[in-house]
Amino acid sequence: MSDAYLALEDGRVIEARGRAPGRTRGELVFTTAYTGYEESLTDPSYEEQVLTFSYPLIGNYGVREERFESDRVHPRAAISHEFTEDVVEWLEAENVPAIDHIDTRDLVTSIREEGAMKCGIAVGEDVTPEDAKAELEECKGMSEHVDIGERVSTVEHTTYGDGDTDVALVDCGAKMSIVESLVERNATVHVLPYDTTPEELAAVDPDLLFISNGPGDPANFEAAQELVEEHVGEVPIAGICLGQQVVARALGGTTEKMDFGHRGVNQPVRDLDSGRVVMTTQNHGYTVGEPGDELDVKQVNVNDGTAEGLANDELDVITRQYHPEAHPGPHDSLDFFDDVLAMTASGQHVVADD
Ligand SMILES: NC(=O)CC[C@H](N)C(=O)O
């Protein structure tokens, strides 16, 4: 008998060591990053997912609030080969179940071979394999979480910084390091709810419209898509990760689910104009399929050729599928924020409120 079970969609039930108690379910995903567990566990993009760390020891440099990307832990549960006490205490305080002492290499290989799958977890003194299976039965697919934006977004317009450029950051589950990257570059960042209307955006009258990263299926962020549809050409537009997907959908492109996604801090991306390759941080399960007539593919993933950067120079639109803010991850692509803010330099754009 064990005190923790993980039930997988492929029918397996894996015994584990229980670290933080509870019962839950979610889409099983992974990260191969060897650092950055504080950032990943607080990244709102992991809402409704169960995060497996493939690096075998998680917690070896403590838990520091200044590294947090939001005010809470977002994955529904966490899995590693070994969690330190620091991390276990943190997850327990946040009511997030955690398990370790399992073969995470085997688990990640299964996800890579069989694709992202649903899972159920049960941790506690009296739990049985049936409890984990019961959780799995209740697990929804990512696209079915139609209200996911509501659970990760700010409710109120919140302002950061006091710079010369007004950026409207539509919060679909934004990482704090995106806000910081803009504030550091002399921006005032208006973090707006995920369901901001075109009229509410016009009242802010930003110099730049920025769609954030976020969890789940980009098709469930219709309001953000409408903002792009309504204001493209009037104001420069940028997007990161879910933001790229939303911008593409708004401008006639398509998005599709990947088998297991891009999940780590060593994803190589080639810029098609310069030929330069950068190492990037990624955690996404959807990708842009067709970019549509308005957007050019400017950057591609070296491993599988998927769209990593889109742009329309005349309409002033630039997006990235990866995370230039690099928390965690290599800083190769931080200049994205300079490029984005450079689009505002002409000052010719006015958001019309009609
Ligand atoms: N990091 C993100 O913004 C993730 C985007 C989206 N939820 C996906 O899985 O593809």
Side-chain angles (χ1 to χ4, degrees):
M1 285 298 279
S2 172
D3 66 348
Y5 295 95
L6 167 67
L8 304 178
E9 206 178 353
D10 67 8
R12 282 187 293 161
V13 179
I14 297 171
E15 281 189 21
R17 176 172 72 159
R19 300 305 305 276
R23 297 175 193 204
T24 194
R25 56 197 172 256
E27 181 184 55
L28 184 63
V29 296
F30 62 89
T31 176
T32 59
Y34 33 85
T35 58
Y37 50 87
E38 299 146 302
E39 292 90 331
S40 295
L41 286 168
T42 53
D43 178 347
S45 304
Y46 288 108
E47 187 80 12
E48 296 298 346
Q49 293 176 323
V50 169
L51 179 56
T52 306
F53 293 92
S54 70
Y55 187 74
L57 176 61
I58 292 300
N60 48 351
Y61 50 87
V63 175
R64 303 153 302 165
E65 274 183 37
E66 66 268 23
R67 304 301 293 184
F68 291 1
E69 289 290 335
S70 69
D71 58 6
R72 68 178 172 91
V73 172
H74 285 274
R76 276 178 160 262
I79 302 174
S80 88
H81 179 69
E82 179 100 31
F83 283 118
T84 65
E85 279 304 319
D86 285 345
V87 172
V88 168
E89 276 171 30
W90 176 35
L91 294 174
E92 205 169 350
E94 295 249 354
N95 289 321
V96 173
I99 59 175
D100 66 6
H101 282 193
I102 69 168
D103 184 346
T104 48
R105 181 184 298 242
D106 177 61
L107 196 55
V108 171
T109 305
S110 303
I111 302 171
R112 285 183 53 116
E113 282 169 3
E114 298 166 44
M117 55 178 109
K118 296 174 186 170
C119 74
I121 286 183
V123 186
E125 274 176 21
D126 305 322
V127 296
T128 66
E130 302 314 315
D131 296 328
K133 285 191 205 161
E135 287 293 331
L136 172 63
E137 288 286 307
E138 295 292 311
C139 189
K140 291 200 235 170
M142 284 311 285
S143 302
E144 293 171 77
H145 292 289
V146 289
D147 61 345
I148 204 162
E150 193 181 314
R151 271 177 287 138
V152 290
S153 177
T154 183
V155 179
E156 287 180 351
H157 176 167
T158 314
T159 306
Y160 296 85
D162 187 20
D164 293 338
T165 309
D166 283 295
V167 178
L169 178 67
V170 179
D171 180 9
C172 302
K175 290 170 71 182
M176 202 56 204
S177 54
I178 296 178
V179 175
E180 284 159 7
S181 299
L182 292 162
V183 168
E184 274 166 21
R185 289 169 174 78
N186 200 24
T188 299
V189 181
H190 302 266
V191 179
L192 304 177
Y194 77 106
D195 57 353
T196 297
T197 64
E199 296 72 28
E200 285 162 346
L201 182 75
V204 175
D205 192 20
D207 302 307
L208 175 74
L209 169 59
F210 202 128
I211 313 293
S212 81
N213 64 295
D217 187 340
N220 289 326
F221 288 83
E222 282 173 4
Q225 192 174 317
E226 200 185 330
L227 290 180
V228 177
E229 285 163 3
E230 289 290 318
H231 292 300
V232 66
E234 293 167 6
V235 64
I237 296 176
I240 289 179
C241 208
L242 182 109
Q244 160 156 307
Q245 299 162 356
V246 166
V247 170
R249 291 176 66 87
L251 300 183
T254 61
T255 51
E256 53 201 48
K257 186 110 164 88
M258 306 168 87
D259 285 343
F260 54 88
H262 291 161
R263 307 192 172 281
V265 296
N266 61 349
Q267 288 281 333
V269 169
R270 175 176 290 117
D271 184 275
L272 296 177
D273 289 337
S274 66
R276 184 171 169 245
V277 172
V278 289
M279 280 297 165
T280 68
T281 290
Q282 307 205 9
N283 65 311
H284 60 103
Y286 292 82
T287 187
V288 171
E290 292 300 325
D293 292 339
E294 302 285 357
L295 293 167
D296 294 322
V297 177
K298 294 283 194 180
Q299 301 190 336
V300 294
N301 190 294
V302 174
N303 293 333
D304 64 9
T306 51
E308 294 284 2
L310 304 171
N312 180 317
D313 294 338
E314 274 167 35
L315 294 173
D316 279 338
V317 179
I318 317 181
T319 64
R320 296 289 180 259
Q321 185 57 57
Y322 53 91
H323 286 271
E325 75 282 0
H327 274 234
H331 293 180
D332 299 24
S333 48
L334 274 174
D335 55 3
F336 169 72
F337 293 98
D338 301 314
D339 295 344
V340 160
L341 290 169
M343 292 195 295
T344 68
S346 72
Q348 286 169 356
H349 302 279
V350 180
V351 173
D353 57 2
D354 55 7

